[in-house]
Amino acid sequence: MSERRALVTGISGQDGSYLAELLLEKGYRVFGAVRRSSGENLHRIQHLLGDIELIHADLLDQQSLVTMLRRARPHEVYNLAAQSYVPLSWEQPMLTAEVNAVGVARLLEAIRLVNPAIRFYQASSSEMFGQAREVPQNEDTPLHPRSPYGVAKTYGHYITVNYRESYGLFACSGILFNHESPRRGKEFVSRKITDGVARIKLGLARELRLGNLAAKRDWGYAKDYVRAMWLMLQQDRPSDYVIATGEAHSVEDFARLAFAHVGLQWRDFVRVDPTLFRPAEVDHLIGDATKAGRELGWQPTVRFPELVALMVEADLALVAAEVRASRGTQIRP
Ligand code: NAP
Ligand code: G4F
């Protein structure tokens, strides 16, 4: 069979790293777009560097996207790059729009000009449902985003649909609900909690400051979710899919389970910090992935308690290794 080539933007992020692993397992030649940084930022894909090919490109720079496509000549493009942290989108709404909204149009336009046969995946978000009009949310639920991030992602979603309808591109939008892993950034609440639990358990911290404990999310496992991205691009026809577990839990539930996993009571350590509340909150997200189950054969394999446990275990191991490394440093002459 002839070589299959895939290009992943955002390959240095949580999802990019798992998707790159999946594509390599499936025999793809994998290209990753990275933006230039003054420091090393490839820790999540360090183990893959001999197997993937990195190209410098930025969603803010149209020409870099055209050059990237000409070099990689991909059959499939997965656009995972984004300013993905919701609170920052109130501090930098213009940057968030440039990357998460206009950046998608730049990439679609580059695909249309370089090779319109490329299959395209857009990383859309349940944050677009925002103040959700129905429970659970599916592909037909009206959108009411509540953050500059959600608004920008809504543009990214509709420009993807529009390029499919206008130019016949094979363009899919995956409306993914929150998905987590040991590779999640520590600013997101799941990893902030599991890292905090590990530090408290190992005596490195005494408390964990959190914002809104009542917010509910439909949390799944990132490895399951990147499989759904790949499945979308293997279908006969492009479409949009909600990817979710169909279960919602509160931030408080997450903290309770994570502390309980190491034999501690969350109430003894969690402090609510009002400065961490958002100008507008998304109170309750829960997804209905029936269409993905029916058309893609996709199902989540990891449920909430297992997800919390695997993240706590991973952070305990990481923090313990940090402690050992710092003791080693101290006794060196
Ligand atoms: P992440 O870990 O924050 O990764 C984001 C990636 O985007 C990083 O590789 C980052 O590069 C890159 N990036 C940021 N700005 C860029 C730019 N201007 N040009 C090129 N690359 C840029 O995010 P994630 O959790 O893997 O999420 C992947 C995608 O899915 C994002 O689009 C996110 O918005 C969306 N999404 C995520 C979830 C979730 O629960 N994880 C749910 C729904 C949708 P650096 O390493 O250089 O910063
Ligand atoms: O973990 P979060 O920051 O994720 P959020 O805002 O739901 O966004 C994530 O999921 C989206 C999909 O719906 C993605 F599109 C997006 O890129 C990102 O991956 O916050 C989850 C909830 C919020 O309601 C927040 O108010 O947790 C609440 N929370 C409570 N205390 C906190 C904290 N969030 C953070 N980050 N830090 C806290 O201390």
Side-chain angles (χ1 to χ4, degrees), residues 84 125-126 149 178 184 187 189 192 211 215 217 278 281:
S84 71
S125 166
S126 53
Y149 170 88
N178 299 48
R184 186 60 140 154
E187 66 274 38
V189 78
K192 184 174 172 182
R217 290 290 183 277
R278 299 175 181 188
E281 179 61 282

Side-chain angles (χ1 to χ4, degrees), residues 84-87 125-127 149 176-178 180 184 187-190 192 209-213 215 217 219 251 276 278 281-282 285:
S84 71
Y85 187 44
V86 173
S125 166
S126 53
E127 185 73 13
Y149 170 88
L176 271 51
F177 283 62
N178 299 48
E180 319 294 313
R184 186 60 140 154
E187 66 274 38
F188 299 96
V189 78
S190 60
K192 184 174 172 182
R209 302 186 86 79
L210 295 175
N212 182 8
L213 301 180
R217 290 290 183 277
W219 276 295
V251 172
L276 296 172
R278 299 175 181 188
E281 179 61 282
V282 171
L285 290 177

Side-chain angles (χ1 to χ4, degrees), residues 181-248:
S181 75
R183 296 186 196 166
R184 186 60 140 154
K186 286 184 191 168
E187 66 274 38
F188 299 96
V189 78
S190 60
R191 184 79 199 288
K192 184 174 172 182
I193 293 172
T194 59
D195 174 68
V197 164
R199 283 176 196 284
I200 289 168
K201 181 68 182 174
L202 297 177
L204 299 186
R206 289 203 201 141
E207 63 171 32
L208 175 62
R209 302 186 86 79
L210 295 175
N212 182 8
L213 301 180
K216 288 189 171 170
R217 290 290 183 277
D218 179 330
W219 276 295
Y221 182 39
K223 266 191 166 186
D224 280 339
Y225 286 50
V226 301
R227 200 172 69 252
M229 298 174 188
W230 177 78
L231 283 168
M232 286 179 215
L233 295 201
Q234 313 313 310
Q235 303 307 302
D236 292 337
R237 275 190 305 276
S239 192
D240 307 319
Y241 295 91
V242 159
I243 301 297
T245 70
E247 269 179 44

Side-chain angles (χ1 to χ4, degrees), residues 252-272:
E252 183 180 310
D253 292 338
F254 200 115
R256 181 183 307 107
L257 241 64
F259 278 97
H261 189 77
V262 298
L264 299 176
Q265 289 281 347
W266 73 277
R267 281 186 196 283
D268 295 338
F269 302 98
V270 170
R271 304 284 170 262
V272 172

Side-chain angles (χ1 to χ4, degrees), residues 258-308:
F259 278 97
H261 189 77
V262 298
L264 299 176
Q265 289 281 347
W266 73 277
R267 281 186 196 283
D268 295 338
F269 302 98
V270 170
R271 304 284 170 262
V272 172
D273 180 345
T275 65
L276 296 172
F277 281 64
R278 299 175 181 188
E281 179 61 282
V282 171
D283 296 314
H284 186 185
L285 290 177
I286 178 165
D288 172 2
T290 304
K291 180 180 172 189
R294 191 178 59 240
E295 296 186 10
L296 307 178
W298 181 87
Q299 297 292 337
T301 66
V302 174
R303 294 287 170 182
F304 184 65
E306 202 186 330
L307 175 68
V308 175

